[in-house]
Amino acid sequence: MDDPDCDPRALAATYRRFDLVNRLVSAWGHVYRTRVRPELRALGRPARILDLGCGGGDVLVRLAGLAARDGFTVECVGADPDPRAISAARDRGRPGVRFVAQDSTALLAAGERFDLVISNHVLHHLDAAALASFTGDSLALSTGTVLHADIARGRLAYALYTVGIAPLSAGTFLRVDGLRSIRRSYRAPELAAALGSPWRVETPAPFRVLAVAPGEAGND
Ligand SMILES: C[S@@+](CC[C@H](N)C(=O)[O-])C[C@H]1O[C@@H](n2cnc3c(N)ncnc32)[C@H](O)[C@@H]1O
């Protein structure tokens, strides 16, 4: 799906089905309860959340729903430089959530700031230079916490995904791209070494890593 010339119908189907796949594997329900909700509660005012590299937008739409159910007023922005992702995300939109075709550096240059910055499944896509720039931008965009969630590489994750994705992958890129993503992803100590200070890498659920750091936008 990274190929700009890939089949648009398969791409659209992949973005739609990410909703179910991310619900099954990404542990954002847990991260919401343990990280996002306490942060929103502590703020005690309307919050702005940014999902960097939002893809089809399903993770952000889900977080917006969880926050609304808990009575928080939240403005959610999903950003991705890939216009195909933004188009898919806008199809899924809900009130209080908007999607912009911009990357992290453009958002920063535009003076945007957020109370919480998150990403899902972006880190393993990036080479060393892009990783440094993406995570650096995320710190500079956040006055609160930054949470980057990703897959933890491992043989069992690979084997379980191979079996589990079979009934869901017809007509999509979920099988090929998902397995490639698991091969490219980090184990927790590797990610900690790649990111360095101020990041702490946790394992919030089986087969998951979560890089956590305090944002630096409030230090200006
Ligand atoms: C595998 S997708 C993840 C999509 C979505 N977060 C999910 O979990 O389904 C990675 C996305 O990161 C985006 N991306 C890469 N570098 C970025 C940057 N510097 N700022 C914002 N998005 C970026 C890519 O365009 C791509 O859509």
Side-chain angles (χ1 to χ4, degrees):
M1 65 186 288
D2 292 338
D3 178 355
D5 297 322
C6 72
D7 175 8
R9 266 188 306 181
L11 182 66
T14 305
Y15 281 130
R16 278 195 302 274
R17 212 155 301 163
F18 265 134
D19 188 14
L20 177 59
V21 174
N22 275 328
R23 274 171 196 267
L24 292 173
V25 307
S26 293
W28 273 101
H30 174 75
V31 175
Y32 173 79
R33 288 188 297 279
T34 56
R35 290 274 177 191
V36 178
R37 183 162 61 192
E39 191 116 350
L40 296 178
R41 197 168 278 146
L43 264 181
R45 59 165 170 78
R48 299 190 82 210
I49 300 180
L50 171 66
D51 180 1
L52 267 183
C54 64
D58 54 281
V59 169
L60 186 62
V61 165
R62 182 167 175 221
L63 289 182
L66 292 169
R69 195 189 62 190
D70 284 337
F72 297 114
T73 304
V74 178
E75 178 196 355
C76 292
V77 178
D80 199 300
D82 186 335
R84 304 168 308 168
I86 293 302
S87 167
R90 285 180 179 151
D91 287 346
R92 159 174 290 131
R94 60 168 279 150
V97 183
R98 72 191 165 86
F99 294 99
V100 296
Q102 283 181 299
D103 69 8
S104 52
T105 307
L107 285 173
L108 194 56
E112 291 277 14
R113 298 296 180 267
F114 297 86
D115 298 298
L116 187 67
V117 173
I118 68 150
S119 80
N120 187 62
H121 295 171
V122 179
L123 301 187
H124 71 266
H125 270 273
L126 308 174
D127 64 22
L131 181 70
S133 145
F134 179 81
T135 54
D137 288 346
S138 70
L139 294 174
L141 282 162
S142 181
T143 55
T145 301
V146 183
L147 304 169
H148 293 302
D150 212 338
I151 307 156
R153 193 179 77 257
R155 289 210 173 110
L156 185 56
Y158 195 90
L160 290 175
Y161 188 82
T162 304
V163 175
I165 204 64
L168 302 174
S169 62
T172 75
F173 299 115
L174 285 170
R175 184 175 191 282
V176 171
D177 283 22
L179 291 174
R180 186 184 298 138
S181 289
I182 296 172
R183 287 196 298 273
R184 283 185 187 168
S185 63
Y186 298 87
R187 297 179 198 272
E190 295 167 349
L191 184 58
L195 294 179
S197 175
W199 296 94
R200 207 176 56 254
V201 177
E202 303 175 356
T203 50
F207 317 121
R208 300 298 295 171
V209 289
L210 183 70
V212 183
E216 295 172 353
N219 307 343
D220 298 342

